[in-house]
Amino acid sequence: MNIAIVGAQWGDEGKGKIVDLLTPHFSIVARYQGGHNAGHTVFTEGRRIVLHLLPSGILHPEVDCVVGNGVVVDPQALFAEIEMLRSHGIEVGNRLLISEKAHLILPYHRELELLAEARRGEHRIGTTSRGIGPAYEDKVGRRGVRVCDLYDPDGLAEGVRENVEARNRLIADAGLDWRAVYDALLAAGERMRPWVGDVTLFLTRAFSVGRSALFEGAQGTLLDIDHGTYPFVTSSSASVGGVCTGLGLGPRAVHGVLGIAKAYTTRVGEGPLPTEVHGAEADRLRETGQEFGASTGRPRRCGWYDAVAVRYAARVNGLDALAVTKLDVLDGLPQVPLCTGYRCGGDVIADFPADLRQLAACKPVLDTMPGWSAPTRGARRYGDLPQEARDYIERLEEISGVPVSIISTGSDRDDTIVREDSVAARWLARFPIPPYSAPRT
Ligand code: IMP
């Protein structure tokens, strides 16, 4: 049985930690969208490891990791990550499978992105400058270069030449030599060859012999290209629909969906954040929560928990349960505000508007819960939380419309509560840690 992990806010919800926590119950972890714009932070054996492109499951030696066709792959970022893992004593070996249909991020995609952002001026999106958007643009424009093209030298030469010439026309003083790009890609293809294959075939065969997978989403629902705060979004399907298109699976391959939400809200980059706070309130959340981008180091914008956004994410993803992370960051606050609706003109709306002009005219309706003075940090059982913290969690469930199964109370893997009899507890009980050793095909 397979579970999808998706961000229920604007990314950076703490998906890496939750994936890492659940991974021992699964034998495969698969990324289905995004690229090395993601930054999944995992604290393990006293080390902080940030994964950008590879699934977080790679830290578990018995787990196979898949990079699906919906992911955009920068070969140099891939090699750098493999080297980074090696420096921590973690070998990727034959545990990695990259879809031959995945599109490549080429060296000039980053420059095109910087140019596009500069042209947008004050309307810039605040992207991660990893070339993600231009790579997806090439994919949808049907001129992209895919991993399988690396093994067709003539076709690759033609594709790269056309793309580089088009790019040279776009950037007046670029003067990029297509042959240099081509040679680098051929070399990258050779290095990647052991890991390239048919992901759909691998997964369906694996499922047929009883293996189970975690589908690891990157970014979050409000950054999804279709369902997010467009155009201030990433360029991929960050919600659960991306699992099917990004791995080549039917919807029945997803047996459960776990949404990850922080106990408050953050966002990196531009675009609406209805519950945003500024000044001392924001500084406190940012400093206590260490809210600085794992990929870019940018300070994250901070705000209170937004139940309108999470309810929306619950609907878009069909969430079965929520994992609420960073509860401990709220420790010591005298009161904890949370947003139950948006006031637009004379009306209070409960649904997330599609039109950003309407959203901009909305003000959050804030409810205030009493804070807690005893720390939640490091708590491992629900009963160990102060009563006010439990009341806060139960209010989140009520206004978000999703049961909270998991609560994270610190960065360590063990600083986590899996509530008894919760949806996630039942999943984990059904998926015993698998002693899998069947051959990979
Ligand atoms: P891009 O994905 O680099 O094109 O950036 C588009 C938007 O998504 C920007 O606002 C980024 O800050 C945001 N974004 C991309 N990846 C992440 C992530 O992993 N966490 C949070 N925000 C992200």
Side-chain angles (χ1 to χ4, degrees), residues 291-314:
E291 297 296 355
F292 299 92
S295 281
T296 58
R298 290 180 289 176
R300 296 178 185 142
R301 297 157 62 196
C302 297
W304 302 119
Y305 186 84
D306 183 344
V308 182
V310 177
R311 262 197 313 262
Y312 173 72

Side-chain angles (χ1 to χ4, degrees), residues 108 112 115 138 143 158-172 174 176 178:
Y108 49 83
L112 287 174
L115 191 73
D138 278 358
R143 57 181 173 266
E158 198 181 329
V160 169
R161 195 173 62 217
E162 278 173 16
N163 274 294
V164 168
E165 283 170 0
R167 173 208 177 260
N168 281 344
R169 283 194 294 276
L170 263 177
I171 308 176
L176 194 76
W178 73 269

Side-chain angles (χ1 to χ4, degrees), residues 10-13 15 31 34-40 52 113 117 124-134 136 218-220 223 231-236 266-271 293-296 298 300-301:
W10 279 269
D12 306 318
E13 297 93 348
K15 295 178 291 294
R31 279 273 311 263
H36 65 304
N37 49 348
H40 292 174
H52 299 285
E113 178 173 345
E117 281 284 84
R124 71 186 180 281
I125 291 163
T127 62
T128 58
S129 310
R130 299 289 191 272
I132 305 291
Y136 280 114
Q219 291 85 45
L223 288 173
F232 300 100
V233 290
T234 191
S235 304
S236 66
T266 62
R267 171 167 204 160
V268 212
E270 307 303 318
S295 281
T296 58
R298 290 180 289 176
R300 296 178 185 142
R301 297 157 62 196

